[in-house]
């Protein structure tokens, strides 16, 4: 029926539009994964090596840098997706969250047992690799969402 | 841009008149999954001209479904859209009616 076809077309268009904030995004800059790794390593060193006002200053500066980055990224992307992650991207998001947890726990354990520099190295290397992988997995998932929605 | 509700069978009359235009429905659907979105992002997704998008978003704003924020001046100026609570509820209802028309 014409009515059904129109309703289906409208719902398909709404589905594509709902997915847009998740799947329409500019290329991630090449510096992003190592920058995240370096930021994490600096945070580990700031918390584990420094003390007193120096620690407070460094941690505050890193927190402000993160806020500035989020604001810049929001402008660069034109939006920030919210709500449920499209199903094609959920596995990557969960794997990423799990990997971040492992890195944080591992680095925290190293730092608290008197090995802050190896902890920072772990965050720099593994954190960079995890973010690099996630960016590719995210893009692949977004491509699958676009293919499904047409 | 066609306005389906005026030409269709019973049931379509339950649709929200502000959302029956496909481009306005798409704009609201997009904003339902974003904290907010820039003018350029919405325009590129909808593939419409600046003036057409302005017209569609003005209609949604008049219905109380979208808030518009303008920041900066000149070339650096940015217009941002955000769905209101009323807009979110209207979109949800509109989707439900469309789905009911399909027996989903």
């Amino acid at each position: 029926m014409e009515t059904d076809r129109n309703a289906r077309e409208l719902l398909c268009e709404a589905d594509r539009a709902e997915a847009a904030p998740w799947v329409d995004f500019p290329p991630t800059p090449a510096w992003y994964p190592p920058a995240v790794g370096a930021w994490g390593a600096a945070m580990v060193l700031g918390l584990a090596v420094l003390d007193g006002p120096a620690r407070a200053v460094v941690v505050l500066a890193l927190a402000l840098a993160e806020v500035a980055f989020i604001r810049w990224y929001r402008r660069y992307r034109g939006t920030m997706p919210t709500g449920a992650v499209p199903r094609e991207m959920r596995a990557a998001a969960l794997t990423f969250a799990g990997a971040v947890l492992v890195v944080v726990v591992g680095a925290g354990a190293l730092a608290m047992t008197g090995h802050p520099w190896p902890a920072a190295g772990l965050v720099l290397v593994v954190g960079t690799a995890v973010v690099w992988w996630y960016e590719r997995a995210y893009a692949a998932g977004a491509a699958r969402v676009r293919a499904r929605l047409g | 841009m066609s306005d389906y509700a005026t030409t269709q069978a019973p049931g379509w009359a339950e649709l929200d008149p502000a959302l029956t235009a496909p481009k306005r429905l798409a704009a609201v659907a997009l904003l339902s999954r974003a904290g907010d979105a820039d003018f350029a992002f919405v325009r590129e997704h909808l593939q419409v001209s600046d003036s057409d998008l302005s017209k569609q978003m003005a209609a949604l704003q008049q219905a109380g479904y979208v808030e518009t924020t303008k920041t900066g001046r000149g070339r650096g100026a940015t217009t941002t859209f955000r769905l209101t609570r009323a807009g979110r509820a209207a979109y949800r209802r509109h989707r439900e009616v469309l789905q009911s028309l399909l027996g989903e």
Side-chain angles (χ1 to χ4, degrees):
Chain A
M1 279 172 64
E2 183 70 9
T3 300
D4 284 0
R5 192 175 66 82
N6 288 341
R8 200 169 297 284
E9 281 173 6
L10 289 170
L11 282 170
C12 285
E13 179 54 41
D15 288 343
R16 277 193 291 274
E18 282 189 18
W22 288 97
V23 304
D24 294 345
F25 53 92
T28 303
W31 52 261
Y32 175 63
V36 174
W39 182 90
M43 184 62 91
V44 168
L45 292 175
L47 288 169
V49 173
L50 299 176
D51 209 351
R55 176 160 69 178
V57 167
V58 167
V59 170
L60 179 63
L62 288 169
L64 290 174
E66 178 66 12
V67 171
F69 171 77
I70 290 170
R71 291 178 66 138
W72 170 81
Y73 187 69
R74 160 63 188 79
R75 281 201 308 275
Y76 178 65
R77 190 165 175 152
T79 189
M80 280 294 260
T82 59
V85 181
R87 63 174 180 263
E88 291 86 347
M89 302 163 81
R90 278 181 208 150
L94 286 172
T95 305
F96 176 69
V100 168
L101 186 64
V102 167
V103 170
V104 168
V105 169
L110 276 172
M112 284 192 288
T113 53
H115 303 92
W117 289 95
L122 171 77
V123 172
L124 177 62
V125 174
V126 181
T128 298
V130 165
V131 173
W132 182 87
W133 169 82
Y134 179 62
E135 289 302 314
R136 276 144 191 79
Y138 186 103
R144 289 195 296 274
V145 174
R146 284 193 293 268
R148 170 170 60 87
L149 296 175
Chain B
M1 184 168 296
S2 61
D3 190 335
Y4 287 109
T6 58
T7 60
Q8 298 294 334
W12 288 78
E14 294 173 43
L15 291 169
D16 189 321
L19 302 181
T20 49
K23 295 298 181 192
R24 287 203 292 271
L25 175 63
V28 169
L30 185 157
L31 292 171
S32 75
R33 293 298 184 93
D36 55 20
D38 290 349
F39 186 99
F41 184 88
V42 180
R43 182 193 59 208
E44 282 167 29
H45 178 77
L46 267 57
Q47 296 186 311
V48 294
S49 65
D50 286 5
S51 60
D52 192 11
L53 181 60
S54 296
K55 195 173 75 177
Q56 302 303 333
M57 299 313 277
L60 290 171
Q61 195 173 353
Q62 199 168 10
Y65 294 169
V66 166
E67 289 172 350
T68 304
T69 307
K70 293 183 180 181
T71 54
R73 287 182 177 187
R75 289 174 61 85
T78 306
T79 299
T80 304
F81 303 113
R82 177 187 292 275
L83 201 59
T84 63
R85 189 174 293 186
R88 198 169 293 278
Y91 173 60
R92 201 179 306 123
R93 280 195 307 273
H94 194 85
R95 264 200 84 108
E96 285 168 2
V97 173
L98 285 172
Q99 285 166 335
S100 71
L101 287 167
L102 293 172
E104 290 180 2

